Amino acid sequence: MNFAIGVDGGGTWTRAVVVDQDGHELGRGETEGAVVTIHEPIAAAEAVRQAVDRALVNTNLSTPGDILWAGLSGAGNEEARTAIEDALVKSHVAEKIVVSTDVEVAFHDAFGVGPGIMLVAGTGSIAWARRPDGTVVRVGGWGQHIGDEGSGYQIAMDALRCITRAEDGRDGPTTLRDTILRHLGLEDVQGLVGWIGIASKREIAALVPLITQAAAQDDPASKEILELAIQGCRGHLEAILKISGPWVDQPPVALWGGLLRCGGPLHDEILRVVEDYGLEILDRDPDPALGAARLALEQGLSNRQ
């Protein structure tokens, strides 16, 4: 084996890590998000390819690699996973392609093959658990239309609804109005209608820093929006504990995603929620791309045996 590739693709970023046959990291690269859909697999495949090319820039290596394991948002859908696998095969980025979800590769980096719970809140949201017997259960992950409670997408959408309600006089005024209109270069609230019609999930979730800044300046609407997001994350944790248990030993918990990582806007609040349950937190942020690279390496080595 020359080298293996691991990729983590979510709503915001696609990150690639290249490792040698001994698992030593050779390079990293990143580009925009890669969310798998049945109808547009080529866009996600291109994002993966760009991230891999950037990971190889400072090495003397070139594609195809021996094996690529890509953990991608949206790959839980079998049809979408098949579509992206076919697109990646045609891209010739690696001799062998394996596609799983982004949560699976993050979980592997956090816990290997052991038990644990992962709470995720980034562009989207989900909770994932592996019991001591190896069975896996999940809560959430239903996507932006019927799920994503506690996510960056939900936070941003709640903020936009607050603005329109305030414009109608159904809610009190919020500083989010002028802040978000200025950020988007819009003259009035009516302009949000056109913007939301063409904005991607990533672009919508990218409004979160504006909302956290407004909350820090005591904007009541923003503070309420963030509290709803915290309750959404709490609901995921409560449910995953219930359906994955009973646990003989309290499971370790990993926090992952832009909202929950160390320094993330909801990290401290969710840390307190987890501690309320007497659970132990993983003392580092998971590295999903590295988890994917390790899975790729393990798969490649098992194929040689």
Side-chain angles (χ1 to χ4, degrees):
M1 178 180 290
N2 293 313
F3 66 97
I5 308 165
V7 173
D8 162 43
T12 304
W13 298 105
T14 301
R15 294 184 169 98
V17 173
V18 175
V19 298
D20 64 18
Q21 61 182 350
D22 297 316
H24 298 137
E25 186 174 318
L26 303 175
R28 281 182 181 256
E30 69 176 39
T31 187
E32 292 185 352
V35 177
V36 179
T37 67
I38 299 170
H39 306 293
E40 295 186 12
I42 294 175
E46 180 58 24
V48 170
R49 177 73 196 217
Q50 288 181 13
V52 172
D53 286 345
R54 292 176 184 182
L56 294 173
V57 164
N58 294 319
T59 73
N60 60 354
L61 303 171
S62 60
T63 55
D66 293 275
I67 182 168
L68 177 144
W69 191 298
L72 305 175
S73 177
N77 178 290
E78 186 174 348
E79 288 183 86
R81 184 169 63 252
T82 299
I84 186 63
E85 283 177 347
D86 291 344
L88 287 171
V89 167
K90 292 174 183 176
S91 76
H92 304 293
V93 69
E95 298 293 341
K96 180 176 177 58
I97 303 292
V98 181
V99 174
S100 68
T101 68
D102 52 343
V103 179
E104 289 175 76
V105 296
F107 197 97
H108 188 76
D109 180 69
F111 303 116
V113 297
I117 288 175
M118 176 168 283
L119 182 61
V120 182
T123 305
S125 64
I126 192 171
W128 222 68
R130 183 189 289 130
R131 300 182 178 111
D133 66 3
T135 57
V136 171
V137 293
R138 77 168 210 183
V139 168
W142 296 109
Q144 66 195 66
H145 298 299
I146 56 175
D148 278 348
E149 298 89 348
S151 70
Y153 178 83
Q154 184 211 47
I155 290 171
M157 289 300 296
D158 284 348
L160 296 177
R161 294 185 182 106
C162 277
I163 292 171
T164 56
R165 288 197 301 270
E167 194 74 0
D168 288 340
R170 291 178 285 150
D171 267 353
T174 170
T175 60
L176 289 172
R177 179 191 187 280
D178 293 342
T179 300
I180 289 180
L181 291 181
R182 184 166 55 250
H183 174 78
L184 297 177
L186 301 175
E187 294 184 1
D188 53 39
V189 174
Q190 187 64 34
L192 289 174
V193 178
W195 181 81
I196 200 68
I198 60 173
S200 67
K201 185 176 181 180
R202 179 181 64 85
E203 290 170 329
I204 294 168
L207 298 175
V208 169
L210 303 177
I211 300 154
T212 58
Q213 289 168 16
Q217 296 168 0
D218 289 328
D219 177 63
S222 301
K223 293 170 74 173
E224 183 176 345
I225 289 167
L226 294 184
E227 182 56 37
L228 285 173
I230 292 166
Q231 294 308 314
C233 291
R234 180 190 287 273
H236 279 74
L237 182 61
E238 287 179 350
I240 200 73
L241 279 169
K242 182 177 180 180
I243 68 172
S244 64
W247 293 82
V248 175
D249 299 312
Q250 290 287 61
V253 177
L255 302 179
W256 178 53
L259 299 180
L260 302 187
R261 62 175 172 74
C262 291
L266 300 186
H267 177 269
D268 292 347
E269 290 80 0
I270 299 304
L271 187 63
R272 284 190 283 271
V273 169
V274 174
E275 290 172 347
D276 285 345
Y277 288 97
L279 303 174
E280 201 170 302
I281 290 277
L282 187 72
D283 60 0
R284 62 178 178 84
D285 288 334
D287 187 342
L290 187 57
R294 289 172 177 153
L295 283 166
L297 188 61
E298 291 164 14
Q299 181 76 18
L301 292 175
S302 67
N303 289 342
R304 293 172 61 189
Q305 295 175 354

